[in-house]
C-alpha cells in the first residue's frame, strides 16, 4: 500500500514501510489468539478488563479480529482500525494519535503537556534539548530520560532526521524507523502502558491492628454492661479483636450485681 505524506519541504512516498509496522501487530495478534484460546490467566484477565472498559461483547469463540483489537489497545490505540489509520500515515495533525509514545513508567518524570502543537513548539525553543511526542490530541515535551523510559536511544541519528519532533515528521522514513524501534521495545509487555491490577481482597483494617489502651478499657466497660447496652460499642467505635484471637468471655455476662 502506497502512502503519501507532505512534510512541508517535499512530498515523499513510502510504498512498504507502513506494512512492516502493521505486520508486527498481526504477528502479535496471532500469538495472543493462541493465549486466548488456551485461556492464559494473565491474557484472559486483561481481555476482560479491556472489554469492560471498551464495552466490547465477550465472544463465544476467539477470532483473529478480537486479538487484533486487544493487541492494539496494549499499544495505546482504541482498536485495530485506529492503529492502522495512525501507523499507516493517514492521520491528520488534529486526529487522535494514540498513546504509542507514552509509558506509565514515565509518570515520576517531570512531563510537560500542551493542548496545541504551537504552544509545544514555543516551549521547545527555550532551554535545553527537548523531544516532542504526540499523545492522543495532546503534545508531550520531555528530555532524554523520557526517551530511555520508552526503550529508545536519545543519541540515535534518527532524532536528527526528525528534528526531535515526531508530529512534524509524521510519515517520514525516520518516523517509521522510530515506530519500529518503539514496537520492538514493547515486546513481551502486557500492556505497555498500565497493567490492570487484580481486585484487592477486602478486609477490615481494624482486624489487623494491635489493640490499644482504649480498646482494652472499652472491653472492661463492656464486661460490666447489660445486654441492652451493648450498642455502646458501635457508638464508641467499631473495634474488633485481631484475627485468630478468641473473643473475651466477659462479653456474655449477665446483669451486674449491685451492692446494697
Amino acid at each position: 500500500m502506497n502512502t503519501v505524506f507532505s512534510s512541508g519541504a517535499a512530498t515523499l512516498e513510502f510504498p512498504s514501510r507502513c506494512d512492516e509496522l502493521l505486520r508486527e501487530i498481526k504477528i502479535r495478534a496471532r500469538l495472543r489468539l493462541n493465549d486466548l484460546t488456551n485461556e492464559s490467566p494473565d491474557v484472559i484477565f486483561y481481555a476482560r478488563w479491556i472489554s469492560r472498559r471498551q464495552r466490547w461483547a465477550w465472544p463465544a469463540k476467539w477470532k483473529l479480529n478480537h486479538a487484533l483489537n486487544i493487541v492494539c489497545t496494549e499499544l495505546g490505540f482504541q482498536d485495530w482500525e485506529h492503529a492502522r489509520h495512525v501507523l499507516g500515515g493517514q492521520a491528520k495533525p488534529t486526529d487522535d494519535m494514540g498513546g504509542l509514545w507514552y509509558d506509565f513508567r514515565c509518570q515520576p518524570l517531570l512531563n510537560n503537556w500542551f493542548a496545541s502543537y504551537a504552544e509545544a513548539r514555543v516551549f521547545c525553543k527555550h532551554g535545553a534539548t527537548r523531544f516532542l511526542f504526540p499523545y492522543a490530541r495532546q503534545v508531550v515535551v520531555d528530555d532524554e530520560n523520557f526517551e530511555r523510559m520508552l526503550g529508545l536511544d536519545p543519541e540515535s541519528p534518527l532524532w536528527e532526521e526528525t528534528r526531535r519532533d515526531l508530529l512534524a515528521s509524521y510519515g517520514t522514513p525516520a518516523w517509521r524507523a522510530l515506530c519500529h524501534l518503539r514496537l520492538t521495545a514493547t515486546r513481551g509487555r502486557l500492556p505497555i502502558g498500565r497493567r490492570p491490577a487484580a481486585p484487592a481482597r477486602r478486609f477490615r483494617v481494624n482486624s489487623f491492628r494491635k489493640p490499644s489502651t482504649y480498646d482494652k478499657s472499652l472491653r472492661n466497660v463492656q464486661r460490666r454492661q447489660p445486654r441492652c447496652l451493648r450498642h455502646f460499642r458501635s457508638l464508641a467505635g467499631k473495634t474488633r479483636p485481631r484475627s485468630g484471637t478468641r473473643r473475651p468471655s466477659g462479653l456474655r455476662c449477665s446483669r451486674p450485681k449491685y451492692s446494697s
Side-chain angles (χ1 to χ4, degrees):
M1 180 179 63
N2 297 332
T3 302
V4 180
F5 177 81
S6 178
S7 60
T11 301
L12 305 176
E13 184 177 357
F14 314 103
S16 61
R17 292 292 296 178
C18 60
D19 294 339
E20 297 179 5
L21 300 177
L22 299 178
R23 189 180 300 112
E24 173 75 17
I25 299 180
K26 293 179 180 179
I27 293 175
R28 295 189 186 187
R30 294 188 182 94
L31 297 176
R32 191 56 46 81
L33 180 60
N34 295 334
D35 295 336
L36 291 171
T37 304
N38 297 331
E39 297 184 354
S40 178
D42 294 340
V43 176
I44 291 295
F45 179 78
Y46 178 78
R48 291 186 181 276
W49 178 79
I50 196 62
S51 297
R52 294 175 182 175
R53 183 176 181 180
Q54 299 289 70
R55 297 183 179 179
W56 293 339
W58 190 259
K61 182 179 180 181
W62 292 104
K63 298 181 180 180
L64 184 59
N65 59 336
H66 301 141
L68 282 171
N69 291 332
I70 292 177
V71 169
C72 291
T73 58
E74 298 171 4
L75 296 174
F77 301 100
Q78 298 295 331
D79 49 20
W80 163 245
E81 294 297 332
H82 185 206
R84 185 170 62 176
H85 180 73
V86 175
L87 297 180
Q90 303 173 1
K92 300 178 182 179
T94 57
D95 293 345
D96 187 350
M97 304 298 291
L100 180 64
W101 302 105
Y102 186 77
D103 198 305
F104 283 93
R105 295 183 301 179
C106 303
Q107 287 182 344
L109 302 178
L110 182 60
N111 304 320
N112 303 283
W113 295 79
F114 299 91
S116 63
Y117 175 75
E119 297 177 356
R121 287 302 308 173
V122 173
F123 180 79
C124 290
K125 293 180 181 179
H126 306 283
T129 302
R130 294 185 175 93
F131 300 83
L132 191 148
F133 306 89
Y135 180 83
R137 289 183 172 86
Q138 302 178 6
V139 182
V140 185
V141 179
D142 221 303
D143 53 5
E144 298 179 354
N145 296 325
F146 191 89
E147 292 288 325
R148 296 185 178 92
M149 287 294 183
L150 295 179
L152 303 176
D153 183 12
E155 303 297 334
S156 175
L158 295 174
W159 294 111
E160 296 298 332
E161 299 181 17
T162 59
R163 296 181 180 180
R164 297 184 294 275
D165 190 341
L166 294 181
L167 194 60
S169 61
Y170 174 71
T172 60
W175 176 86
R176 298 183 189 277
L178 289 174
C179 286
H180 180 71
L181 294 176
R182 174 59 178 153
L183 291 177
T184 304
T186 60
R187 292 177 180 176
R189 297 190 57 191
L190 173 68
I192 68 171
R194 175 181 298 174
R195 180 187 298 272
R201 183 180 178 182
R202 297 183 178 180
F203 58 89
R204 296 182 180 270
V205 179
N206 290 339
S207 61
F208 294 91
R209 183 171 56 87
K210 184 178 180 180
S212 60
T213 306
Y214 173 77
D215 297 334
K216 297 178 181 179
S217 61
L218 180 61
R219 293 176 187 175
N220 295 332
V221 172
Q222 289 176 341
R223 290 191 184 99
R224 299 179 178 86
Q225 293 296 328
R227 184 170 300 180
C228 61
L229 296 180
R230 288 186 182 177
H231 68 281
F232 174 78
R233 180 172 186 171
S234 60
L235 297 178
K238 295 182 179 180
T239 58
R240 287 178 174 268
R242 288 184 298 176
S243 177
T245 59
R246 298 182 59 184
R247 187 179 299 274
S249 58
L251 294 179
R252 298 183 178 180
C253 62
S254 58
R255 291 179 177 271
K257 298 180 180 180
Y258 297 94
S259 59
S260 58

